[in-house]
Amino acid sequence: GLGLVYEKGDRTLKDDLVRDLVGSFSDNKAQLAGNVTEDTQLFEPGALPTGDGSITTYKDIMSLASEVGDSSLVYRFMSLASNNAIWSSRAAFGRFGLSNVLSDSSVDGYLAENPKLYPKLFRYRFDPNGAVQRSMNDIWNALVKDSSATINKYFDAIMEDLLQNILAEEWRVRQATCAAIADLVQGRALEQYEKYLERIWTLSFKVLDDIKESVRTAAGALARVMTSTLIRSLEAGESSSGNAGAMLKHVLPFLLSTSGLESSAKEVQAFALSTLLQIVKKSSGNTLRPFIPELVERLLGLLSSLEPQVVNYVHLNASKYNLTEQKIDEMRLASIRGSPLTESIERCLDLMDDATMTELRPRLEIAMKTAVGLPSKVGCSRILVSLSTRHSFLFRPHADYFLKLVEKHLLDRNETVSSSYAASAGYVARTASDKQIVQLANFAKRLYFTSEDDHHRIASGEMIYAISKYSTDRFSAFATDFLPFVFVAKHDGHEVVKEFYQNTWDENVAGPRTVLLYVKEIVDMAQAHLDSPRWVLKHTASRAIAEVVISIESTGSEISLSNAEVIWPALDKAMGGKTWEGKEIILKAFVRFVEKGGQLWRKRTAVADSITKIIVREARRQNAAYRQFAIRSIGQVASARTDVDMSDVIIEILSPVMEGLVSVDESAMDVDGGTEALKNDKVREQTLAAAIETLQDAINPKLLRASELSAKVLRVLDLIAKSETLQARSSVVELASFQALGKLFQKLKNSEGEAVRAMQAEMWAKCSSLLFGPTGSSEAIRLKRADAILALAELSQLFPTQSKLSTEIATEKSPAVRKVLEQALEVRLQKG
């Protein structure tokens, strides 16, 4: 009937009729008219199923509202019915044959002048309702003779309508719009929809987070269509580089914005990341190169922002999960190395040219300065490594700048980050200028010597080690700048700091003779810090000077006069001041200097006097742990000094010390003091043993007259004999006593014999109980005793007696000891 009315009417009637039809078709206003009774059908059967059937009439609505007890349901269902009527009427368009009316109007009527229907109709073709979709397709096919031409003609109108409705209130409109846009852009030239690109991406990503799942699915399909279109353009290469570049110009800023990778919606974030990685992977160099600087900067930031928050929680609560922060950081580093983001960054670096590298420089600096998480910071350091190794030609002009920049980031509070930047400094040094390498060495020295933070000294050591390991040629070329500092710093008291510098020295130095090349540089650097108010530097410098002496001595050569003149002032200063834990190493070096540095102290009386004064001062110190080393050292110095007799002062110092040690031991014999007492016992025994050995070192027959020699030998034997009570319980003291007696007898044998013969009886009286007393000692100690007995037999005309020797031989079980005793008996028999 409607078709007949249209055919019989004039043009005005036809246009009015079409206008009303289009209005009813395109408006979303409720169109329920007339009276509604209880039997009025508002829904199709089965549209709203319940447990016992379905809601179809007004009566059903009232009954349901009554049962629930909520009268507002009536209004809600009536609104739903109104909406249902709209879509039912649209679905009925195809059944009513209205396509003929609209088709005729499109040729020369209302639609030809007012083509509003086409954008609406295009969208309705993708409606989720199958009936509506079929009806709209029928109308479209009848109305549009050439679909492609019509779409091209009204493309802008259709696209504008779709973009305005993609965020509509009705879910079916949003869903239909997504599908419609996906269909509209496929197969179209980029120029046709380029101006809409940014809006399409933005709106499609918003709908990706829609409340309704079917809408999210449609939005995902649209996003995939847009991505595949872009990727195909990128894969086309040079033939499509213009289109691809234009698309990237719109797409990349969007993907990197809060609508993409920085979105709070996980689905949106994941899709944006996937799209971005595909873009980087598929793009040619010419297409992607203009975007590389920004891409690298943003990708570095994403390394942290995309890291799961649970990682930070576990890192902060590592102890609760029996983990260490270092272990967690190692796992984080492993994930960074295998991250697709890292792969994309490397791909960007591979596509760079000189101009891109110049543009990347400020971007990379910003990324390094603004990085907040461990992944991003480590990522920045890894980029520097990659640039230095794989792109050194491009990176060389910028190496100095970044090496200077690394100095700031080396001090990061996180040890893993600091280590990463230290390693990167080692690689960047490969391409840095000579001037910058020298500046870097000076920076490491300032960091070590001026900072009070242990972490800074560790960072300095780690950086120096990295340079020596990854830029070995550069390190060797500037050995004069590095090695003296490394030598000093490897004596640091902090184990971690010491390890880095020790490894650097060991891996770059052939042997102790290298020290001879840098004696002046090492000593000057160490001496400059001997007066430091910081104990750690004072002790480090002292140990370094000691090591210089020991290293030279280990070569087996004498210390030259020139080197001795350089070393002595520093060694003198290192020996000054209070005692501190570990100072015994300085004592050891002092003794070696006296033994090997005779060219200096023999020529310079002032130096010789200072040596005596210093060693006596140290031997008088009362620190229990230090005293044993000081006492032993004064004996070694006395033995090395052939120009002066030190026996008087040594006996003066050691007499009260030994008497005090023996008396303390006797009073403490029955006291059980636990671990501390055992520790004190050990120190006491070692001190007494050192004193006994030093006493025999003090006797130099060549510097003493016969009367002086006799008196001092008897005094020494008297002091050794007094320690007999402690010898019975201490193998250390017992061994030291027998060694001292053997050496003393040997010295006397090689000297003039008149004084010795005069004191034979007194000597025998003082040491007979030591040499022939009961012992349950080990074979090694009994062997030393036998050596001392043999030395006495060779020295004395009367002692030891034949009977004593025979008794010892008879009771001795060890063949080695018995052999020495038999030699002593043979000597005694020869002397009659």
Side-chain angles (χ1 to χ4, degrees), residues 685-710:
E685 292 169 5
Q686 290 173 340
T687 303
L688 187 57
I692 291 171
E693 292 183 27
T694 296
L695 283 172
Q696 71 82 20
D697 282 335
I699 303 299
N700 189 343
K702 295 179 181 180
L703 298 176
L704 296 170
R705 294 191 299 271
S707 60
E708 294 176 330
L709 179 61
S710 298

Side-chain angles (χ1 to χ4, degrees), residues 727-728 730-731 734-735 738 774-782 785:
Q727 291 177 36
S730 172
S731 59
E734 194 174 17
L735 181 63
F738 293 140
T775 178
S777 305
S778 64
E779 181 179 346
I781 294 177
R782 296 201 311 278
R785 185 180 69 162

Side-chain angles (χ1 to χ4, degrees), residues 57-290:
T57 65
Y58 182 69
K59 179 181 179 181
D60 294 334
I61 293 176
M62 296 298 290
S63 298
L64 181 61
S66 177
E67 290 176 11
V68 176
D70 186 357
S71 59
S72 65
L73 284 180
V74 175
Y75 301 100
R76 295 182 185 178
F77 274 104
M78 290 303 291
S79 175
L80 187 62
S82 173
N83 185 269
N84 183 62
I86 295 173
W87 293 100
S88 296
S89 65
R90 288 171 182 167
F93 265 64
R95 296 198 299 270
F96 293 155
L98 299 181
S99 58
N100 292 332
V101 175
L102 299 175
S103 177
D104 179 70
S105 177
S106 68
V107 178
D108 58 358
Y110 176 81
L111 289 181
E113 298 175 0
N114 301 281
K116 295 180 181 180
L117 181 63
Y118 297 113
K120 301 288 184 181
L121 185 57
F122 185 86
R123 169 161 51 87
Y124 291 149
R125 292 172 59 208
F126 300 93
D127 190 86
N129 187 304
V132 174
Q133 192 177 116
R134 286 190 297 273
S135 297
M136 297 307 132
N137 275 316
D138 290 343
I139 295 173
W140 178 268
N141 293 332
L143 182 63
V144 178
K145 305 304 181 186
D146 187 346
S147 181
S148 179
T150 302
I151 292 174
N152 286 335
K153 183 178 180 180
Y154 301 110
F155 183 87
D156 289 339
I158 294 173
M159 183 61 80
E160 283 291 348
D161 177 79
L162 293 175
L163 293 177
Q164 289 173 9
N165 284 282
I166 195 171
L167 299 179
E169 293 184 3
E170 292 188 74
W171 66 267
R172 61 198 306 159
V173 175
R174 300 195 299 272
Q175 183 173 332
T177 302
C178 291
I181 294 176
D183 183 81
L184 184 61
V185 298
Q186 290 191 74
R188 304 282 166 189
L190 174 64
E191 293 78 6
Q192 198 168 6
Y193 61 90
E194 181 180 350
K195 60 183 178 181
Y196 301 108
L197 264 178
E198 196 167 339
R199 290 174 64 192
I200 294 173
W201 280 99
T202 302
L203 294 171
S204 64
F205 271 49
K206 283 186 178 180
V207 186
L208 270 176
D209 193 32
D210 197 274
I211 193 172
K212 186 163 177 59
E213 183 179 358
S214 61
V215 178
R216 294 197 300 271
T217 302
L222 171 58
R224 284 190 292 274
V225 167
M226 298 301 297
T227 301
S228 61
T229 302
L230 174 58
I231 298 304
R232 282 196 300 271
S233 298
L234 295 174
E235 290 175 337
E238 297 297 328
S239 62
S240 183
S241 60
N243 288 344
M247 293 181 75
L248 288 181
K249 184 178 179 181
H250 293 285
V251 174
L252 282 179
F254 164 74
L255 291 176
L256 298 172
S257 70
T258 53
S259 299
L261 285 168
E262 296 181 8
S263 171
S264 58
K266 295 299 182 184
E267 297 84 354
V268 174
Q269 197 178 75
F271 193 87
L273 177 61
S274 174
T275 302
L276 184 62
L277 297 181
Q278 288 188 65
I279 289 173
V280 173
K281 185 177 182 180
K282 301 293 184 181
S283 296
S284 64
N286 290 337
T287 303
L288 192 62
R289 202 167 285 130

Side-chain angles (χ1 to χ4, degrees), residues 139 325 474 564 656 672 737:
I139 295 173
E325 292 183 2
R474 306 291 284 160
D672 183 6
S737 298

Side-chain angles (χ1 to χ4, degrees), residues 415-428:
E415 293 181 7
T416 303
V417 174
S418 180
S419 297
S420 296
Y421 274 113
S424 68
Y427 283 103
V428 175

